[in-house]
Amino acid sequence: MVSRAGAASRTAELRSPSGLLEATFVPRTGMLGWSLRDGDDELLGHPVSLERYAETGEPTGIPLLHPWANRLASPEYEIAGRRVVLDMNAPNVLKDPNGLPLHGLAAASPHWEVLDEEPPRLRARLDYAAWPELERGFPFPHLLELTVTLADDRLETATELIPTGESPVPVAFGFHPFLRIPGLDRRQWHVELPVTSRMVLDERELPTGRSEPVHIPPGPLGDRTFDDCFDGLGSGEFAVSGAGRRLHVRFLEGYRFAQLFAPPGSDFICFEPMTAPVNPFESEHTLLAEPGSRYRARFEVGVTKV
């Protein structure tokens, strides 16, 4: 992925008003959320190092997935009157094990501009169309603005997509928070999954066009593994708890789909907010942000003692 020397060392340190929570973001490495700390305990999983993320875009911490989350069916796509052919050898194109384009083009991008920074809040902007390696794979001019705010019991992330050209912009971004309960074996983690419908995927993990009703009762994670996309979301929170602490992900605004990721042997679980489904550019569910409008989406990661 696109990176620059020393980017990993330029961090923004956030502290909640009473100092109960602390967070670290790396603005010029894709606005990556690298750390969320409750006292001495790290609450984010890091399947890869910050240096590896800067070089490859392989997800870790709380990464932004833009201009699409999850995977596409092909390097070629057509939406909003434009046909695009991705260069699969470009350094900012991440591929899944089947060679499909994965998690957008902006991971680890060094082009973010910090607009405002104070102890509990960070605001930054990416002028997407200003950078050829981004615009070539998604030729829809827009700004992306992120505001992260740290309270004593939660981290909120607000994202605004703002078209800057004469054409509408497909809205398909998402986030991939890796959460963990420190000091407790994952098999003892208690999970809550407020879902009502799951998308049926094929052998390449792409939607088949069918969905199925689903109800997953709260209970221990145990030896269960997940890599599922849900198009039916209930009114509750995605949550994992144990060892006297509960972490939740709440979709506050603009997120209509969720991916649940807990692979074998992992020490993390991901509740991923998504504005569009897997393979969004072939989906009737993908929204377009019209010129003159803004698309706003918000989610929070909450931290409570139980």
Side-chain angles (χ1 to χ4, degrees):
M1 303 298 260
V2 176
S3 63
R4 72 183 193 182
S9 65
R10 298 183 178 95
T11 62
E13 303 296 332
L14 279 65
R15 180 183 293 270
S16 68
S18 297
L20 297 177
L21 293 181
E22 296 179 328
T24 300
F25 279 77
V26 195
R28 293 196 178 264
T29 306
M31 265 298 282
L32 174 69
W34 174 245
S35 177
L36 179 61
R37 301 176 300 280
D38 181 7
D40 294 329
D41 291 333
E42 176 60 63
L43 306 180
L44 298 185
H46 297 116
V48 301
S49 68
L50 181 55
E51 290 73 21
R52 180 169 174 81
Y53 178 76
E55 292 301 323
T56 69
E58 188 176 345
T60 192
I62 305 179
L64 166 68
L65 314 176
H66 180 70
W68 69 85
N70 213 284
R71 52 184 47 78
L72 304 182
S74 167
E76 300 184 25
Y77 67 87
E78 184 171 349
I79 192 170
R82 298 195 178 186
R83 181 176 176 272
V84 180
V85 180
L86 296 173
D87 178 2
M88 294 301 289
N89 294 315
N92 66 329
V93 176
L94 184 67
K95 296 182 279 290
D96 79 353
N98 292 309
L100 301 178
L102 187 67
H103 293 335
L105 303 170
S109 172
H111 303 311
W112 286 86
E113 173 192 5
V114 173
L115 303 177
D116 184 31
E117 183 178 350
E118 52 189 276
R121 184 172 177 269
L122 174 68
R123 187 165 67 97
R125 174 187 295 162
L126 174 65
D127 185 352
Y128 191 92
W131 306 101
E133 76 273 16
L134 300 178
E135 196 273 340
R136 277 193 295 267
F138 189 74
F140 301 94
H142 65 280
L143 299 175
L144 203 65
E145 292 189 359
L146 259 64
T147 303
V148 291
T149 306
L150 190 62
D152 287 329
D153 60 352
R154 65 190 180 277
L155 173 69
E156 180 179 314
T157 300
T159 305
E160 287 195 321
L161 186 154
I162 308 162
T164 55
E166 298 180 355
S167 61
V169 181
V171 179
F173 62 83
F175 286 82
H176 200 318
F178 290 81
L179 305 181
R180 60 188 293 269
I181 299 292
L184 186 66
D185 188 283
R186 76 185 294 277
R187 289 172 294 184
Q188 300 178 49
W189 296 357
H190 184 90
V191 294
E192 304 165 49
L193 307 172
V195 294
T196 60
S197 178
R198 175 169 48 206
M199 302 182 76
V200 178
L201 307 179
D202 65 17
E203 66 280 358
R204 296 188 300 164
E205 299 184 78
L206 295 168
T208 62
R210 296 184 294 112
S211 296
E212 59 187 10
V214 64
H215 172 66
I216 306 175
L221 180 58
D223 293 321
R224 291 182 292 171
T225 62
F226 294 94
D227 194 359
D228 299 86
C229 185
F230 298 96
D231 55 354
L233 306 180
S235 58
E237 303 167 341
F238 291 88
V240 58
S241 58
R245 183 184 282 119
R246 182 177 185 269
L247 308 180
H248 75 253
V249 174
R250 180 183 298 159
F251 296 5
L252 300 172
E253 180 181 2
Y255 293 106
R256 302 172 299 135
F257 300 85
Q259 187 81 13
L260 173 60
F261 183 53
S266 62
D267 64 350
F268 57 78
I269 188 168
C270 302
F271 309 125
E272 305 172 36
M274 298 165 55
T275 56
V278 178
N279 196 28
F281 304 144
E282 295 183 16
S283 172
E284 61 182 8
H285 299 293
T286 299
L287 302 177
L288 300 177
E290 298 292 337
S293 72
R294 290 174 176 243
Y295 188 90
R296 180 174 171 84
R298 297 182 300 127
F299 77 98
E300 70 177 26
V301 176
V303 183
T304 55
K305 298 294 195 297
V306 295

